[in-house]
Amino acid sequence: MTERHPPLRDPHLEEVAAWHPIEGTPTKKKVAIGCSVGATIETYDFIGFGIAAALYFNTAFFPANDPLSGTLLSFATLGIGFAVRPLGGIIGGYLGDKIGRKPVLVGSLLLMGIATVLIGLLPTYQQVGVWAGVLLVIVRVVQGLAFGAEWGGAILMCFEHAPWRKKGLYTGITQAGFPVGLLLANLAFLVSVPLGGSWAWRVPFLLSAVLIVVGIVIRLKVEESPEFEELKEEGELSKNPLLEVLRDDWRNILRAFCLRITETAGYAVSVTFMLSYVAAEGLADRSVTLTATMIAAGIGIFATTYWGALTDRVGRRPVYLLGTALHLLWGIPLFLVVNTGAAVAIVIAFVISYAVLQNSLAGVQGAWFSELFAAKTRTTGASLAYQMSAVVSGFTPLITTALYAGYGWIGPALLFSGYGLLGLVAASVTRETWGRVEREEVAELERTLAAGATVPTPRPGTHEHRPTADSATD
């Protein structure tokens, strides 16, 4: 049976309120900001690699006599980082459920920073030959492991500190750290263009050293999750969260995996591949595409938070259904708009692809994925589902490039729409975790507590969510 966490149809809501207040913990805002800052820095590092892979690495780390092969190899290296993210998610999730969310947050950020700075110091193909590509792959693997461990810890920490009625908003704030990181990464690469040569891509990676110091200081001040502390105090930590979640919640892992693919693989087509496509077709220079991405990311900071907050009012599933339906419809129009070569049209295409489509899904995932799993296996379950999809998205630019070489732009366009269809189906078969019934239950509890009713002291085990009729079939 699948256990779920309150406040979803739980007969013991009053008892839970004694250890996790309806309005969240006193440090909920500090935690949200701290998690968001860390997500910003790790995204800057990880996405920065994608930008460099699309614009520079094909000639810097691979033979320059065959541009298409260089691009394929560059995107393959990009994909390797995504391929190891599930392993990072497993390790980070396991440790998060065993020793706490906070140590994982600090450790993953430090590991990511070291790997990113090393990229800025690597020798090129012209200097050491094939060893340049080998070294790039090694540090990319380290990046992937660190980023895989990051998401679950950050989102779950924020989720478990947040008010019951505003979990979508608060996890949306953490998710907004990703467009901030995207914005900063593109800004760094745009500003470094005049430097020319290898400095154009080295400087953005070296600048990560400053960001890492700031991030570590902030994250060390974040308090541990109250739900983890409660589980630890009552001796209810899972002995093997990975085996337990695979045994009891594999269906939710599969559903969240499919839901996530639309968002992350869609981004790989509409942003990562699109940067390379626009340059290869001569539709615009690098400054136009980088500026378009920056504008989209800037809007996305607010859009992600908005989409998350919207789920608190209308539920998680309706917003996701809307986002995936738009993905399905946008594939061909996306390329038709970009193919005009007009700078304004390219900016509009990037804004729609990112701030509307991608952000409408990312803003939902933090709360929805967290609510699908029980507290004692939540980090492992959510991280595993989230990062498994990274394997697909990581190699999507490679697949997209191959489709483009064989079929022209219609191949990538149809692939993008196909990802939207997959997400639409997955959203249709995944249960709502914050629908009208759940919101009404919390409203009733708020009225009860406001009337001065006594809140019982929680008994060991009552904070875990009892299965509902629809989850018991899982």
Side-chain angles (χ1 to χ4, degrees):
M1 288 188 181
T2 300
E3 290 181 318
R4 296 166 56 199
H5 185 271
L8 309 177
R9 303 178 186 174
D10 194 331
H12 300 294
L13 288 175
E14 294 87 349
E15 296 180 356
V16 175
W19 61 272
H20 188 167
I22 291 178
E23 292 304 318
T25 67
T27 61
K28 57 183 180 292
K29 293 181 180 178
K30 180 192 295 185
V31 170
I33 294 174
C35 291
S36 181
V37 169
T40 295
I41 297 169
E42 296 220 25
T43 303
Y44 172 92
D45 294 345
F46 201 76
I47 295 298
F49 192 102
I51 297 172
L55 301 180
Y56 298 107
F57 285 173
N58 59 332
T59 57
F61 289 94
F62 305 101
N65 55 359
D66 187 351
L68 180 58
S69 296
T71 299
L72 288 171
L73 288 170
S74 181
F75 280 148
T77 306
L78 173 69
I80 289 172
F82 284 87
V84 299
R85 277 173 57 176
L87 179 58
I90 291 172
I91 296 173
Y94 184 91
L95 293 176
D97 286 329
K98 291 290 288 185
I99 66 174
R101 318 322 193 197
K102 181 176 178 177
V104 175
L105 289 179
V106 176
S108 63
L109 184 60
L110 182 60
L111 189 62
M112 174 67 84
I114 293 173
T116 302
V117 172
L118 286 177
I119 292 175
L121 300 174
L122 290 179
T124 64
Y125 182 85
Q126 290 72 28
Q127 293 172 319
V128 297
V130 295
W131 283 105
V134 173
L135 293 173
L136 183 65
V137 169
I138 293 174
V139 293
R140 181 59 176 172
V141 167
V142 176
Q143 268 199 327
L145 291 173
F147 200 73
E150 154 67 22
W151 184 85
I155 287 294
L156 270 299
M157 178 75 84
C158 184
F159 177 87
E160 292 172 350
H161 276 272
W164 287 3
R165 277 188 169 277
K166 298 180 180 180
K167 289 186 180 292
L169 169 62
Y170 275 76
T171 55
I173 292 173
T174 297
Q175 289 284 66
F178 294 95
V180 175
L182 176 63
L183 175 62
L184 291 178
N186 279 275
L187 179 61
F189 277 92
L190 181 63
V191 172
S192 67
V193 167
L195 297 176
S198 65
W199 289 112
W201 58 265
R202 290 187 187 277
V203 169
F205 290 112
L206 295 175
L207 287 175
S208 178
V210 178
L211 296 177
I212 294 301
V213 173
V214 175
I216 291 294
V217 171
I218 292 176
R219 283 204 164 172
L220 285 174
K221 297 180 180 179
V222 172
E223 295 184 8
E224 182 57 89
S225 160
E227 297 190 21
F228 176 82
E229 295 287 9
E230 181 71 12
L231 287 170
K232 183 178 180 180
E233 181 179 337
E234 294 181 1
E236 294 187 22
L237 294 177
S238 174
K239 294 181 179 179
N240 194 323
L242 177 60
L243 290 180
E244 186 171 336
V245 78
L246 288 175
R247 182 189 66 229
D248 299 336
D249 250 348
W250 64 269
R251 290 182 178 84
N252 278 332
I253 292 176
L254 180 60
R255 290 166 184 149
F257 167 76
C258 294
L259 290 170
R260 163 77 170 151
I261 283 179
T262 303
E263 176 256 314
T264 186
Y267 172 89
V269 176
S270 60
V271 178
T272 303
F273 169 77
M274 192 59 70
L275 290 172
S276 177
Y277 173 77
V278 171
E281 290 293 316
L283 298 171
D285 58 30
R286 290 175 178 175
S287 62
V288 172
T289 53
L290 289 175
T291 301
T293 308
M294 287 172 56
I295 293 174
I299 297 174
I301 297 170
F302 305 98
T304 303
T305 304
Y306 167 78
W307 291 114
L310 182 62
T311 69
D312 291 329
R313 299 196 297 272
V314 304
R316 319 300 186 204
R317 185 160 57 183
V319 178
Y320 221 91
L321 288 171
L322 172 63
T324 51
L326 292 175
H327 264 80
L328 174 62
L329 299 174
W330 179 236
I332 292 177
L334 165 62
F335 281 86
L336 291 177
V337 172
V338 170
N339 286 342
T340 64
V344 174
I346 292 174
V347 170
I348 292 174
F350 272 73
V351 169
I352 294 175
S353 297
Y354 189 70
V356 178
L357 276 67
Q358 195 270 354
N359 291 168
S360 66
L361 305 183
V364 182
Q365 291 169 1
W368 202 9
F369 289 10
S370 299
E371 290 165 347
L372 289 173
F373 301 94
K376 64 180 179 180
T377 57
R378 181 175 293 145
T379 310
T380 301
S383 295
L384 185 59
Y386 192 89
Q387 302 303 344
M388 280 174 55
S389 66
V391 177
V392 179
S393 61
F395 287 99
T396 290
L398 178 64
I399 298 170
T400 307
T401 302
L403 288 173
Y404 168 64
Y407 303 99
W409 64 264
I410 192 67
L414 293 178
L415 179 64
F416 182 86
S417 293
Y419 286 139
L421 178 60
L422 175 63
L424 184 62
V425 173
S428 300
V429 299
T430 302
R431 61 183 170 82
E432 174 64 86
T433 57
W434 187 241
R436 180 179 57 82
V437 173
E438 291 84 2
R439 298 195 299 273
E440 288 180 354
E441 286 183 352
V442 171
E444 178 62 30
L445 176 57
E446 288 175 334
R447 288 190 290 269
T448 300
L449 295 178
T454 302
V455 180
T457 301
R459 300 187 307 273
T462 59
H463 61 280
E464 283 293 5
H465 206 59
R466 289 187 176 181
T468 62
D470 59 345
S471 66
T473 59
D474 287 353

